[in-house]
């Protein structure tokens, strides 16, 4: 007779009168956790120090130059920019991954130019050779672990349910496989939504990290992985294709190219200053103009503003440029060539006696404050005036309202990351839904670094609207 399944909210079969989830289920869960902890400790003890022994074996069996022969194959011929070297140097950002790949995946081939000490080991990975030649002297648990390493692929994993000092759930971005990983050190630094390139090994009901890259990719990188995961080469040559993808993403993350900056209209940021001679009357200028003792206009500064339809844009108004009039000279500062041409066309239609003189292109650096470069650095500190401004309740309220409206309208905006679909359209298919989820996770990650962070309720409402 099949035993009746007890639900979490059912009365506990032990007769205590409490719900099952508050009684015996807790004890059973604790027992499973204790068992996994004991298994983890035994495995860690069995494999402790094996990497050093493997390196010695590789040098003896494959030759002292084996690492340098394997390195170009591992990196697919890429030059390590961090080390500025095409040779392996221990301590680089890819060292841990390289050693695991060398042990478990490298299979030297004479036809590829490999020259190893023992010809019998051509086509044999070091781990397989180690298991064959040292079988009688190895801990049985270590042997099982190394067999599992031979079968475990490298892959991109999304971190979920991370518990510092305990472990996390690792979801393979390409296959969807989920592994409950016990890992104390990495779990102390990773966050939910991070993407790591790693080799994760299953053994005796637990999963352990055999190797992981020294840095994690932010959630935004998942959108690219989703876009490419249907490529044929990833199915035909998974090890090679995934490594190539990893090195490509690592290079863009650790050595980001100069950003292509655009204004609110999507135009390339190219500051321009236009110069005109003008005749004007006092009534044509703003009341804030500087006047001399006789009441003559000395100087006036006027913003060039475009008002938007509130339902069609997140900004009610956009400042297209700044006009300054001084001693019958009109100077116009804009941030793109398109706006410079637009202003010249506009002023030609106005009943204003303005004679165009010239346009000067300004260096971009004069229009931007210096910011951080590369991965993992802190934001540029604000100065005292900016801090004082951000403390004003009216300023904070305005920015909070702007952020709220931005995220309210975001589901209806076509996005390049979604193949120009809106988030509401994209969530209708599984890949689009995952991409939208990754984008929102990135928003939440970035929120903490904003001058005025949006509240958590903003993202809760956004997820609720999208059914996430």
């Amino acid at each position: 007779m099949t035993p009746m399944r007890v639900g979490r909210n059912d009365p506990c079969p032990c007769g205590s009168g409490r719900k099952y989830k508050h009684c015996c289920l807790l004890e059973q869960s604790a027992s499973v956790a204790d068992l996994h902890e004991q298994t983890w400790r035994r495995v860690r003890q069995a494999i402790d120090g094996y990497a050093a022994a493997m390196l010695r074996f590789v040098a003896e069996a494959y030759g002292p130059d084996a690492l340098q022969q394997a390195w170009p194959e591992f990196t697919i011929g890429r030059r390590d920019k961090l080390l500025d070297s095409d040779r392996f140097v221990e301590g680089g950002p890819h060292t841990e991954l390289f050693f695991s790949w060398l042990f478990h995946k490298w299979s030297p081939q004479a036809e590829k130019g490999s020259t190893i000490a023992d010809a019998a080991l051509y086509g044999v990975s070091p781990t397989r050779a180690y298991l064959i030649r040292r079988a009688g002297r190895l801990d049985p648990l270590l042997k099982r672990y190394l067999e599992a390493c031979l079968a475990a692929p490298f892959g991109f994993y999304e971190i979920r349910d991370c518990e510092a000092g305990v472990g996390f759930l690792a979801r393979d971005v390409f296959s969807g496989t989920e592994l409950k990983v016990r890992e104390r050190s990495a779990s102390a630094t990773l966050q939910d939504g991070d993407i790591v390139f790693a080799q994760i090994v299953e053994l005796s009901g637990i999963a352990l990290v055999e190797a992981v890259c020294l840095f994690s990719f932010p959630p935004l990188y998942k959108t690219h992985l989703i876009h490419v995961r249907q490529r044929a080469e990833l199915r035909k040559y998974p090890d090679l294709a995934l490594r190539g993808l990893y090195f490509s993403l690592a290079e863009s993350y650790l050595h980001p190219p100069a950003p292509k900056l655009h204004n609110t209209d999507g135009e390339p940021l190219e500051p321009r200053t236009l110069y005109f001679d003008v005749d004007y009357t006092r009534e044509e200028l703003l009341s804030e103009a500087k006047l001399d003792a006789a009441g003559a206009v000395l100087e006036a500064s006027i913003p060039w503003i475009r008002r938007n339809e509130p339902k069609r844009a997140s900004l009610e108004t956009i400042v297209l440029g700044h006009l300054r009039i001084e001693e019958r000279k009109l100077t116009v500062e804009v941030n793109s060539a398109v706006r410079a041409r637009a202003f010249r066309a506009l002023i030609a239609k106005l009943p204003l006696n303005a004679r165009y003189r010239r346009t000067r292109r300004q260096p971009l650096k004069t229009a931007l404050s210096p910011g951080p470069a590369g991965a993992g650095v802190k934001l540029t500190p604000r100065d005292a005036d900016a801090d004082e401004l951000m403390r004003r309740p009216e300023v904070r309220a305005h920015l909070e309202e702007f952020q709220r409206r931005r995220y309210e309208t975001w589901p209806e905006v076509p996005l390049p990351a979604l193949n120009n679909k809106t988030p509401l359209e994209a969530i209708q298919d599984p890949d689009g839904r995952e991409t939208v989820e990754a984008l929102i996770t990135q928003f939440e990650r970035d929120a903490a670094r904003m001058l005025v962070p949006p509240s958590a309720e903003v993202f809760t409402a956004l997820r609720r609207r999208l059914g996430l």
Side-chain angles (χ1 to χ4, degrees):
M1 181 176 178
T2 303
M4 183 178 66
R5 185 175 183 275
V6 182
R8 288 172 53 83
N9 292 307
D10 292 341
C12 189
C14 74
S16 66
R18 292 182 294 172
K19 290 183 177 180
Y20 179 50
K21 66 181 180 181
H22 294 313
C23 190
C24 290
L25 181 59
L26 285 175
E27 295 180 8
Q28 293 171 8
S29 299
S31 299
V32 171
D34 290 343
L35 179 60
H36 284 171
E37 175 68 17
Q38 293 172 14
T39 303
W40 181 83
R41 287 179 180 277
R42 286 200 301 269
V43 173
R44 294 304 308 176
Q45 185 176 5
I47 68 177
D48 185 40
Y50 100 86
M54 279 291 298
L55 280 174
R56 289 193 296 271
F57 175 78
V58 169
E60 294 167 3
Y62 290 79
D65 197 43
L67 270 67
Q68 298 303 339
Q69 290 193 53
W71 176 254
E73 190 175 339
F74 170 70
T75 61
I76 321 176
R78 291 174 176 266
R79 188 181 184 90
D80 191 328
K81 287 188 175 181
L82 279 184
L83 301 174
D84 193 28
S85 173
D86 53 9
R87 290 178 59 81
F88 170 68
V89 179
E90 190 169 353
H94 314 303
T95 296
E96 183 175 327
L97 291 172
F98 171 58
F99 280 157
S100 289
W101 179 86
L102 170 76
F103 299 157
H104 314 312
K105 305 300 179 183
W106 184 50
S107 177
Q109 307 290 331
E111 57 269 26
K112 292 183 179 180
S114 297
T115 305
I116 60 177
D118 187 344
L121 296 180
Y122 280 116
V124 181
S125 71
T127 296
R128 177 58 64 197
Y130 189 73
L131 285 168
I132 293 172
R133 297 189 176 187
R134 304 285 176 87
R137 289 172 281 172
L138 296 179
D139 183 308
L141 195 52
L142 174 59
K143 287 197 290 187
R144 288 175 54 204
Y145 179 78
L146 292 177
E147 290 285 358
C149 286
L150 289 170
F154 285 81
F156 288 92
Y157 293 90
E158 180 184 11
I159 303 302
R160 297 182 173 184
D161 301 332
C162 187
E163 186 177 353
V166 177
F168 48 81
L169 185 70
R171 184 179 188 273
D172 191 313
V173 177
F174 288 83
S175 70
T177 302
E178 293 186 344
L179 300 171
K180 186 64 176 177
V181 178
R182 297 188 72 82
E183 172 56 52
R184 291 181 175 175
S185 57
S187 63
T189 57
L190 291 171
Q191 302 179 59
D192 286 359
D194 281 344
I195 305 293
V196 296
F197 186 67
Q199 185 184 31
I200 299 179
V201 179
E202 288 186 280
L203 182 67
S204 299
I206 62 173
L208 301 92
V209 175
E210 161 65 4
V212 64
C213 55
L214 290 185
F215 50 88
S216 59
F217 297 102
L220 186 62
Y221 277 67
K222 184 183 177 184
T223 64
H224 178 70
L225 297 176
I226 292 171
H227 286 157
V228 304
R229 64 186 176 189
Q230 297 304 323
R231 289 181 179 174
E233 62 266 26
L234 288 166
R235 295 189 295 273
K236 193 172 182 180
Y237 309 105
D239 177 62
L240 181 63
L242 286 172
R243 269 188 294 121
L245 184 56
Y246 161 70
F247 284 115
S248 176
L249 293 181
E251 183 172 327
S252 69
Y253 182 62
L254 298 175
H255 308 280
K260 295 181 179 180
L261 302 175
H262 299 80
N263 61 21
T264 50
D265 290 332
E267 301 153 359
L269 210 56
E270 302 172 319
R272 298 284 198 279
T273 302
L274 292 77
Y275 299 91
F276 297 83
D277 293 326
V278 294
D279 293 326
Y280 52 81
T281 64
R282 180 183 180 191
E283 289 74 18
E284 292 172 321
L285 301 180
L286 294 177
S287 59
E288 290 84 3
K290 294 181 180 179
L291 309 177
D292 63 14
V297 176
L298 293 176
E299 180 183 343
S301 181
I302 309 168
W304 178 25
I305 291 176
R306 181 183 70 207
R307 297 192 178 278
N308 290 327
E309 249 183 88
K311 292 183 178 180
R312 299 184 62 184
S314 59
L315 295 173
E316 290 184 2
T317 60
I318 294 178
V319 178
L320 301 178
H322 292 277
L323 288 64
R324 188 175 70 257
I325 299 178
E326 185 177 7
E327 296 180 353
R328 299 192 179 277
K329 305 290 183 184
L330 169 62
T331 305
V332 183
E333 294 180 354
V334 294
N335 62 14
S336 74
V338 175
R339 290 181 180 178
R341 291 192 295 269
F343 185 80
R344 288 190 63 184
L346 173 65
I347 204 166
K349 298 176 182 178
L350 297 177
L352 181 66
N353 187 8
R355 294 173 297 283
Y356 172 74
R357 295 171 59 198
R358 69 183 187 280
T359 296
R360 176 179 294 172
R361 181 172 180 173
Q362 304 293 349
L364 187 57
K365 63 181 180 180
T366 64
L368 298 171
S369 59
V377 296
K378 296 181 179 179
L379 293 177
T380 304
R382 299 193 300 272
D383 57 28
D385 290 341
D387 283 331
E388 174 62 28
L389 184 65
M390 288 300 105
R391 281 196 289 267
R392 295 181 182 178
E394 66 275 16
V395 173
R396 296 186 68 86
H398 178 77
L399 290 175
E400 287 171 357
E401 176 63 15
F402 167 73
Q403 294 285 8
R404 184 187 64 78
R405 292 186 58 188
R406 174 196 174 197
Y407 290 115
E408 278 184 355
T409 59
W410 184 77
E412 304 164 19
V413 178
L415 302 173
L418 300 174
N419 295 322
N420 292 319
K421 294 181 180 179
T422 69
L424 283 170
E425 294 169 336
I427 59 173
Q428 302 307 314
D429 69 80
D431 282 0
R433 191 177 187 85
E434 272 194 81
T435 305
V436 170
E437 184 108 51
L439 291 172
I440 296 176
T441 302
Q442 186 68 56
F443 291 160
E444 293 172 319
R445 181 79 58 86
D446 294 340
R449 303 190 299 171
M450 293 181 179
L451 297 176
V452 180
S455 66
E457 287 76 13
V458 168
F459 299 112
T460 300
L462 182 58
R463 289 180 181 276
R464 186 183 305 115
R465 182 180 180 190
L466 291 166
L468 299 175

